[in-house]
């Protein structure tokens, strides 16, 4: 399965594969039949029903706190998404500590932004306030490019059952990810690490491109989706593997092309330009990342 994921999942299958991967990763001791149930139409209806009911209970709470002055129908009738649009717009969008330098995906509509907001609010309602998890909004937005709200919500809710596998949930853990990346690069590719360290590329603020933005803006979106294909099953280690491979390969490319890089901003700008070139081969990056 891992080999198949590294070759890329067809877009039409991503919703089913991503959610079943997450269930498999967080519930490894259950029968495969349970994992694969999340690929069925029956499960689609079940998750949609549960998610819409959750939104209804949240709307009732909002309306009650406003002394029932809102005219929207909260008695279970009609479309919960349409009936409560103004209520959702008024709510604060949880940022989970994400900074203002978060990457934005091109082509996101107002409807898509509202879907992301509902998912993030629903997660906060169910899971409580996570201290710090700046990658979570980016991850939710990526899942929504191939999933319904109910499936994106379910996938992240399940990931939280094994946060060590997927993402840090405190600022200390987040910084530990950044420092671990630097240590790994020093251990495996000392010269590259020293070169990047001199240019401040390995500072936590610079590594937000990986551990907050999930390579969005660095790689084309269709290649970011291929990382998500792997991430849903293998967890955050794919971010380390792909990040190290990209750094090593681009360092070599920049040296061959005599590209002058003096700081982190120039590094990410030129790396992104290289990664968006029509001759860029992401399969080479994955082979480097997995030593094959």
């Amino acid at each position: 399965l891992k080999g198949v994921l590294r070759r890329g999942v067809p877009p039409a299958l991503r919703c089913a594969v991503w959610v079943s991967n997450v269930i498999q990763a967080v519930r490894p001791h259950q029968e495969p039949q349970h994992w694969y149930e999340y690929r069925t139409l029956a499960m689609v209806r079940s998750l949609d029903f549960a998610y819409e009911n959750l939104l209804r209970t949240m709307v009732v709470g909002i309306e009650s706190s406003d002394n029932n002055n809102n005219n929207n129908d909260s008695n279970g009738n009609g479309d919960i998404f349409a009936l409560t649009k103004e209520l959702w717009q008024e709510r604060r969008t949880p940022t989970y500590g994400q900074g203002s330098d978060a990457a934005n995906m091109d082509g996101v509509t107002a409807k898509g932004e509202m879907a992301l907001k509902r998912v993030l609010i629903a997660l906060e309602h169910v899971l409580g306030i996570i201290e710090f998890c700046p990658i979570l909004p980016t991850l939710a937005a990526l899942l929504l490019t191939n999933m319904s709200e109910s499936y994106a919500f379910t996938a992240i809710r399940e990931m939280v059952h094994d946060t060590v596998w997927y993402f840090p949930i405190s600022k200390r853990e987040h910084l530990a990810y950044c420092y671990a990346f630097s240590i790994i690069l020093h251990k495996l590719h000392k010269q590259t690490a020293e070169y990047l360290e001199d240019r401040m590329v390995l500072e936590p603020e610079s590594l937000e491109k990986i551990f907050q933005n999930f390579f969005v803006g660095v790689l084309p979106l269709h290649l970011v989706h291929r990382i998500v294909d792997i991430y849903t099953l293998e967890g955050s280690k794919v971010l380390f593997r792909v990040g190290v491979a990209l750094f090593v390969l681009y360092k070599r490319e920049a040296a061959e092309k005599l590209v002058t890089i003096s700081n982190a901003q120039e590094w990410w700008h030129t790396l992104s330009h290289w990664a968006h070139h029509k001759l860029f081969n992401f399969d080479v990056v994955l082979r480097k990342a997995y030593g094959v």
Side-chain angles (χ1 to χ4, degrees):
L1 176 59
K2 290 182 178 180
V4 172
L5 296 175
R6 291 168 195 170
R7 291 193 293 272
V9 176
L13 300 179
R14 278 197 165 119
C15 177
V17 172
W18 285 358
V19 73
S20 63
N21 281 351
V22 172
I23 300 301
Q24 179 177 345
V26 300
R27 305 179 189 178
H29 302 300
Q30 293 189 333
E31 294 294 327
Q33 181 181 355
H34 176 74
W35 311 334
Y36 302 146
E37 282 179 0
Y38 282 80
R39 301 180 181 181
T40 64
L41 289 176
M43 186 58 74
V44 171
R45 291 190 289 269
S46 176
L47 293 180
D48 284 348
F49 179 78
Y51 180 69
E52 290 184 21
N53 274 346
L54 171 63
L55 296 185
R56 290 183 194 282
T57 61
M58 293 169 62
V59 168
V60 169
I62 297 169
E63 291 183 330
S64 296
S65 66
D66 291 339
N67 297 317
N68 296 316
N69 289 328
N70 193 288
N71 293 323
N72 289 317
D73 184 351
S74 64
N75 296 317
N77 301 316
D79 184 347
I80 188 66
F81 303 104
L83 289 172
T84 61
K85 183 177 180 181
E86 291 184 1
L87 287 175
W88 296 121
Q89 288 175 333
E90 293 170 0
R91 292 288 298 272
R92 174 189 61 84
T93 302
T95 64
Y96 297 95
Q98 190 173 82
S100 58
D101 58 342
N104 294 316
M105 285 183 284
D106 295 333
V108 179
T109 64
K111 184 177 179 181
E113 291 177 352
M114 185 58 65
L116 174 60
K117 184 172 187 175
R118 279 193 296 265
V119 169
L120 294 176
I121 291 173
L123 286 168
E124 184 180 60
H125 179 78
V126 170
L127 303 174
I129 298 176
I130 295 176
E131 178 186 343
F132 193 83
C133 188
I135 201 171
L136 197 151
T138 306
L139 182 58
L142 285 169
L143 293 179
L144 285 169
T145 61
N146 285 272
M147 287 177 154
S148 66
E149 288 183 41
S150 63
Y151 263 68
F153 167 81
T154 300
I156 295 177
R157 183 195 64 195
E158 293 298 322
M159 288 179 187
V160 173
H161 292 319
D162 196 352
T163 55
V164 173
W165 191 252
Y166 286 107
F167 40 65
I169 56 172
S170 70
K171 193 163 188 177
R172 175 177 289 184
E173 290 179 6
H174 178 76
L175 291 174
Y177 268 52
C178 297
Y179 293 136
F181 183 89
S182 179
I183 291 169
I184 292 168
L185 191 61
H186 271 279
K187 184 175 181 180
L188 298 178
H189 305 281
K190 185 176 180 181
Q191 289 185 340
T192 299
E194 290 175 349
Y195 173 88
L196 296 175
E197 203 167 44
D198 288 343
R199 289 153 180 79
M200 307 295 285
V201 176
L202 300 183
E203 292 297 310
E205 294 79 8
S206 173
L207 293 178
E208 299 288 16
K209 301 284 188 183
I210 301 174
F211 299 113
Q212 171 181 275
N213 298 349
F214 210 101
F215 297 103
V216 172
V218 176
L219 297 174
L221 186 57
H222 73 278
L223 297 182
V224 177
H225 284 154
R226 288 190 59 183
I227 298 176
V228 180
D229 291 341
I230 304 169
Y231 176 88
T232 51
L233 184 64
E234 297 188 18
S236 61
K237 63 184 178 182
V238 68
L239 301 179
F240 288 84
R241 286 181 177 272
V242 171
V244 168
L246 273 175
F247 281 12
V248 172
L249 292 173
Y250 182 60
K251 168 64 169 57
R252 184 187 305 163
E253 176 79 8
E256 291 176 356
K257 297 291 180 60
L258 301 178
V259 179
T260 301
I261 300 171
S262 58
N263 55 52
Q265 184 177 0
E266 290 179 0
W267 168 263
W268 287 111
H269 176 75
T270 55
L271 188 155
S272 178
H273 181 75
W274 170 65
H276 281 77
H277 193 277
K278 62 181 180 180
L279 296 180
F280 178 73
N281 190 338
F282 189 63
D283 290 323
V284 172
V285 176
L286 288 183
R287 286 197 294 270
K288 180 71 173 176
Y290 287 91
V292 295

